[in-house]
Amino acid sequence: MASITRFARTSSSSLQVSTRSAPLALTARNFSTVKFNNKDRKERVVILGSGWAGYSFAKDLDPEKYERIFISPRSYFVFTPLLASTAVGTLEFRTVLEPIRRLDYGIGFHQGWAQDIDFANKTIRVEANANADSASKAVVPIGQGGQLNQASARGALFDVPYDKLVIACGAYSQTFGIEGVREHANFLRDVGDARRIRLRVLSLFELCAYPKGVDNLTDEDRANLLHFAIVGGGPTGIEYASELHDLIHDDLSKMYPDLLKFVRITVYDVSPKVLPMFDQALSKYAMDAFKRQKIEIRTQHNIERVRPADGKLGSEYGELKLKIKQYGDKEVGAGLVVWSTGLMANPLIKQLASKDFAVPISPEDRAEARRPKAKLATDARTGGILVDEHFRVRIETQTTDAAKGSEIVPTSSSNSLLRDVFVLGDAAVIESQRTLPKTAQVAAQQATYLAKVLNKANEGVIDVKDAPGFKFRNWGVMTYLGSWKAIHQGPRDELRGWAAWVLWRSAYLAKSMSWRNRFLVPIYWLVSWVFGRGISRF
């Protein structure tokens, strides 16, 4: 059995994938079951994923009413809107992290990969992952089946039972199957990604700063190595390009003045314009701001391949070559490629959607000798799981009638609900609201809504099915453009320039998940402004 599970800035939430096969049947490996504690037992809610949806849900779910258990390969939540700032040293990594166990010292947590879910028996198969280095990095599946080539030793397997299950495992970066992207490009979804990008940028400047003759680099080689290519013109790509521009021109230009003439930052996108979620005027403002900062925008450009450069430049210095459809056979050299082109379905969702499973049966069904079978209902366009306005999972049910042998008899309702299972965030598609964007804002609002409904349901105030359905409240979108400028577009207003930058920083500070980070973030902003960004490599 294939294994499973990992806003636009994601949202990305992100329960990473372990694609190492593990059948639901017992194996010869170490295996145990995490049992319920029956003494004064609360209803157990297991949460898959520690991203925006999962963490926000657990934060708002009443610990006096429910036992909360996290399953995730990473032991922290990442405040993704500020991740680009950590990749250039404006902020330190821990200012965007929230340890799961500090959410509540009584909260349950298992660091591991979700391998499978037995909906009939309400158990989750988990592979332990406490020592894996990959937990802090965005992992992108290879091929259509979502298989990864991971050579690390496999952890022990154990089962975790649940009363209610919340699937909030996020999505992967979309690579469109382009050759070399997964192997050579950098993604910006987690702190491990940000750290590798930060070290690479600083290393390239040191590498190109050696005197001529030491490494035999020509001016053309330096120009290629100091070309920073960002693929994707959404908020993540634009904000990273902006933050990188600030780092280079505010800090590195003073330390490497002779290299500034070689530096180029280019944003490539297949669309006719960048930031498609903004109206034309604000998008044009962003492109004009980049033009003044000498950041190149290349719209309607299709990347077809990413590969290492030939010879020593590729093998020792890490130069990459980009094949772009519009340039024919001519390849573009770059020292760093940051890939941010949207989201693809999580392999967990693909696996669960591809199999039949038994659902809990009622006494009436037993009396009639019927054994219900089901498949998850999915959205044909995105591959996400279809849910109702209360985030209950839609299933397509069938039954096997004992009187008719093995014949499959469809039930009267082709879209039933899977009891006690909910899906949030990037993995969820609300049937009546299919156009909602895959952003942190949406995921957080969904999580808060479901937590409040379950809190009231536990009190007996309301049944989940009778609660008012979820309605997304659009607070607007905003993007940093560098040099203390930003753009903001809300339902009723638009801002640009310095005023939007103040709102951008204020909003993200207010949305930080803990008072600790609300205290640390402005301190690091002040330190970076007065003393410069952190440029140490370690």
Side-chain angles (χ1 to χ4, degrees), residues 159-307:
D159 277 356
V160 178
Y162 66 86
D163 293 310
K164 286 182 168 56
L165 172 64
V166 176
I167 300 174
C169 56
Y172 277 85
S173 294
Q174 177 64 269
T175 65
F176 304 101
I178 297 173
E179 179 185 346
V181 172
R182 183 187 179 274
E183 294 82 359
H184 307 299
N186 289 271
F187 303 89
L188 190 52
R189 299 290 302 278
D190 210 337
V191 288
D193 306 325
R195 184 173 183 271
R196 291 201 315 277
I197 290 172
R198 183 166 158 178
L199 292 176
R200 177 60 177 165
V201 171
L202 297 174
S203 296
L204 285 169
F205 274 87
E206 288 293 350
L207 177 64
C208 294
Y210 288 125
K212 289 186 178 181
V214 173
D215 50 21
N216 297 318
L217 288 178
T218 65
D219 286 351
E220 181 181 356
D221 295 335
R222 288 181 169 84
N224 286 335
L225 289 171
L226 293 178
H227 177 213
F228 302 98
I230 295 99
V231 183
T236 300
I238 293 298
E239 288 196 350
Y240 177 68
S242 304
E243 295 275 12
L244 180 60
H245 169 271
D246 288 354
L247 168 67
I248 292 171
H249 290 271
D250 294 346
D251 298 277
L252 299 183
S253 62
K254 301 170 185 175
M255 304 168 193
Y256 308 95
D258 296 336
L259 296 180
L260 200 59
K261 61 185 177 183
F262 299 117
V263 174
R264 280 193 303 143
I265 303 173
T266 306
V267 178
Y268 296 96
D269 198 278
V270 297
S271 301
K273 70 168 188 174
V274 296
L275 299 173
M277 66 289 300
F278 290 88
D279 63 30
Q280 186 64 37
L282 289 178
S283 180
K284 185 177 184 303
Y285 177 86
M287 294 180 73
D288 291 341
F290 271 25
K291 186 175 181 180
R292 289 192 296 271
Q293 295 169 165
K294 297 183 179 180
I295 299 175
E296 300 176 17
I297 300 288
R298 296 286 181 262
T299 56
Q300 296 180 299
H301 278 57
N302 303 76
I303 309 298
E304 295 185 324
R305 184 180 64 209
V306 180
R307 70 170 182 88

Side-chain angles (χ1 to χ4, degrees), residues 304-305 307 321-332:
E304 295 185 324
R305 184 180 64 209
R307 70 170 182 88
K321 292 293 186 181
L322 282 71
K323 187 177 187 301
I324 302 173
K325 180 180 179 181
Q326 286 72 19
Y327 297 166
D329 293 333
K330 180 183 178 181
E331 293 181 307
V332 176

Side-chain angles (χ1 to χ4, degrees), residues 87-145:
V88 298
T90 304
L91 294 175
E92 286 306 312
F93 301 114
R94 293 191 184 276
T95 63
V96 300
L97 300 182
E98 303 288 354
I100 290 175
R101 292 191 180 275
R102 278 193 173 172
L103 178 62
D104 185 330
Y105 288 105
I107 201 165
F109 173 66
H110 300 301
Q111 185 167 354
W113 315 100
Q115 286 283 348
D116 204 351
I117 302 173
D118 185 345
F119 294 113
N121 296 308
K122 289 190 170 184
T123 58
I124 305 160
R125 174 62 56 88
V126 180
E127 179 185 341
N129 185 53
N131 298 318
D133 176 63
S134 61
S136 66
K137 302 171 185 177
V139 180
V140 180
I142 294 177
Q144 297 300 318

Side-chain angles (χ1 to χ4, degrees), residues 82 84-93 95 198 243-244 246-247 250-251 480 504-505 520-521 523-529 532-535:
L82 293 177
S85 296
T86 68
V88 298
T90 304
L91 294 175
E92 286 306 312
F93 301 114
T95 63
R198 183 166 158 178
E243 295 275 12
L244 180 60
D246 288 354
L247 168 67
D250 294 346
D251 298 277
Y480 179 56
W504 177 78
R505 282 205 162 179
L520 288 176
V521 167
I523 288 178
Y524 276 102
W525 278 339
L526 179 62
V527 168
S528 296
W529 178 56
R533 293 168 178 80
I535 60 164

Side-chain angles (χ1 to χ4, degrees), residues 430-477:
I430 304 175
E431 284 187 300
S432 59
Q433 305 173 44
R434 295 185 186 233
T435 59
L436 288 180
K438 303 299 184 183
T439 64
Q441 182 181 171
V442 173
Q445 288 188 33
Q446 291 176 352
T448 298
Y449 163 85
L450 182 59
K452 289 180 178 178
V453 168
L454 292 184
N455 288 340
K456 291 180 179 180
N458 182 273
E459 296 170 356
V461 175
I462 193 172
D463 193 283
V464 173
K465 68 178 184 297
D466 298 323
F470 171 77
K471 298 296 180 186
F472 172 60
R473 186 173 182 180
N474 185 7
W475 292 102
V477 289

